Amino acid sequence: MKKSLLLIVSALSLLLPPLCAQVSPAWFGTGAMEQLRLLDARGPRTAGSAEEKAAADYIALELASLGYSPLVQSFTQTARIGGKDAVIRSQNIIAVKPGTGAREIIVGAHYDSAAEGNGSDDNASGVALLLEMCALVQSRSLPFTVRFVFFGAEEAGKLGSDFYVSAMDPGEIAATAAMLNFDSLIAGDKLYAHGSAGARGIVRDWMLAKAQAWLLPLIAQSGKNKKYPAGTTGDWSDHAPFEAAGIQYAAFEATNWDFGDKDGYVQTQSGFGVQGEIWHTKFDTLAYMESVFPLRAKEHLAAYSRLLFAFLTEYSE
């Protein structure tokens, strides 16, 4: 394990820019793609399984190798799975990057997966992005303290994020400026930014404006499904418990809100995956996605990485 970890760190050090250097747009997504390949090779990581725990251990080792002191937040919850109650033992992995101000931002992605496929899109892609970002900002001055949270057991009903929010005290909630969630970033046709409804969607709108200035293809869903007002999304990922606690959220995904029931569940044309859905199917592997969409994973990760880096280094309330 120690030898393989050293090899991984060495590979990442060649892929990322020097910490003292400006980050060229060409760098973004490079380290994330390396991490995506490593996570995809692990196969499925179902909630509460030994494979999920091994993935958590891997994430913690990677964070330690980058100079963080990862925190493990263990939890045990009961979930309804397949019509039966199941006891799930899992953990969140947390890395804290102190900032110069008193306010905090939470950046999250879940690392567990469905039973089919390798969970490459859902959600090794989000984990890979966060690991790259941890490396890019580790030695940089940030205006906010950033808590990178790798959630366990999202696929069992957002258990990790529910537990995380339940452990926050009122002062921590009040100090949190926003929660940014990254879930399923590479399979879908279009890059989306969702956020809190109305004027509270400040982070979403900041990201959309930055993307427009840089000519990046980030959009908000237009509200064709009346259940989901324009610019918002459903409560099916880890942003939802934070929104319920009154924390502004921004959620990012790659899918296609113009297909199916116009709720984002159909990611691409019906000839791919299972009638256009790749997540939660046997097609959620990097090999499949690179065979049908050869450049999509790198392009999507690069765009989201560039935007997230800009947000963490430039954003002010």
Side-chain angles (χ1 to χ4, degrees):
M1 173 61 75
K2 290 183 179 179
K3 182 178 180 181
S4 62
L5 175 62
L6 290 173
L7 290 173
I8 291 167
V9 172
S10 175
L12 284 175
S13 69
L14 295 174
L15 293 169
L16 292 172
L19 291 172
C20 60
Q22 290 294 109
V23 183
S24 164
W27 286 105
F28 292 109
T30 305
M33 277 301 301
E34 178 69 13
Q35 288 288 358
L36 179 60
R37 295 190 190 284
L38 293 167
L39 291 162
D40 172 80
R42 289 179 164 271
R45 307 167 298 279
T46 56
S49 68
E51 291 77 16
E52 187 203 42
K53 179 60 167 62
D57 292 343
Y58 169 78
I59 291 167
L61 283 170
E62 283 292 271
L63 292 170
S65 77
L66 294 171
Y68 293 90
S69 298
L71 307 173
V72 179
Q73 185 185 50
S74 300
F75 58 89
T76 301
Q77 302 277 38
T78 300
R80 193 76 174 169
I81 300 176
K84 298 180 180 179
D85 288 337
V87 175
I88 303 295
R89 294 177 176 85
S90 186
Q91 53 281 307
N92 300 323
I93 310 299
I94 305 162
V96 181
K97 165 61 181 169
T100 58
R103 300 278 278 164
E104 299 188 351
I105 288 171
I106 295 169
V107 182
H110 74 89
Y111 63 90
D112 65 311
S113 75
E116 289 192 275
N118 292 343
S120 185
D121 177 52
D122 185 11
N123 185 35
S125 61
V127 173
L129 175 70
L130 263 62
L131 287 173
E132 174 175 288
M133 199 54 47
C134 287
L136 287 173
V137 304
Q138 197 275 338
S139 293
R140 297 175 189 270
S141 178
L142 302 181
F144 293 81
T145 290
V146 180
R147 295 185 181 273
F148 294 98
V149 186
F150 301 82
F151 295 111
E154 188 267 358
E155 299 291 359
K158 307 184 296 293
L159 301 188
S161 51
D162 271 334
F163 185 81
Y164 185 94
V165 172
S166 74
M168 297 177 76
D169 63 38
E172 291 171 327
I173 292 173
T176 303
M179 188 274 177
L180 282 65
N181 187 50
F182 292 87
D183 191 353
S184 303
L185 305 180
I186 60 174
D189 295 332
K190 302 177 183 181
L191 303 182
Y192 289 91
H194 311 297
S196 299
R200 291 194 68 243
I202 297 168
V203 173
R204 173 200 59 221
D205 294 345
W206 192 97
M207 290 288 209
L208 290 168
K210 181 67 75 172
Q212 184 177 27
W214 285 342
L215 303 180
L216 295 175
L218 183 71
I219 61 174
Q221 65 89 7
S222 59
K224 293 178 181 178
N225 184 330
K226 296 186 183 300
K227 293 181 181 179
Y228 310 104
T232 69
T233 189
D235 62 357
W236 41 69
S237 190
D238 288 311
H239 61 278
F242 294 88
E243 182 186 25
I247 296 171
Q248 179 196 176
Y249 82 91
F252 303 90
E253 66 177 351
T255 185
N256 196 322
W257 280 70
D258 293 326
F259 290 159
D261 293 331
K262 297 180 173 55
D263 56 7
Y265 270 87
V266 178
Q267 297 171 281
T268 188
Q269 299 174 53
S270 61
F272 300 103
V274 178
Q275 297 183 340
E277 294 187 32
I278 292 173
W279 47 26
H280 295 196
T281 75
K282 66 180 182 180
F283 297 99
D284 192 358
T285 69
L286 188 57
Y288 175 76
M289 280 179 275
E290 290 193 319
S291 72
V292 295
F293 307 121
L295 301 177
R296 184 169 287 187
K298 175 63 186 302
E299 289 174 347
H300 286 196
L301 289 173
Y304 276 131
S305 181
R306 187 180 178 192
L307 288 166
L308 179 56
F309 181 80
F311 180 80
L312 295 181
T313 55
E314 299 175 19
Y315 179 74
S316 63
E317 290 183 290

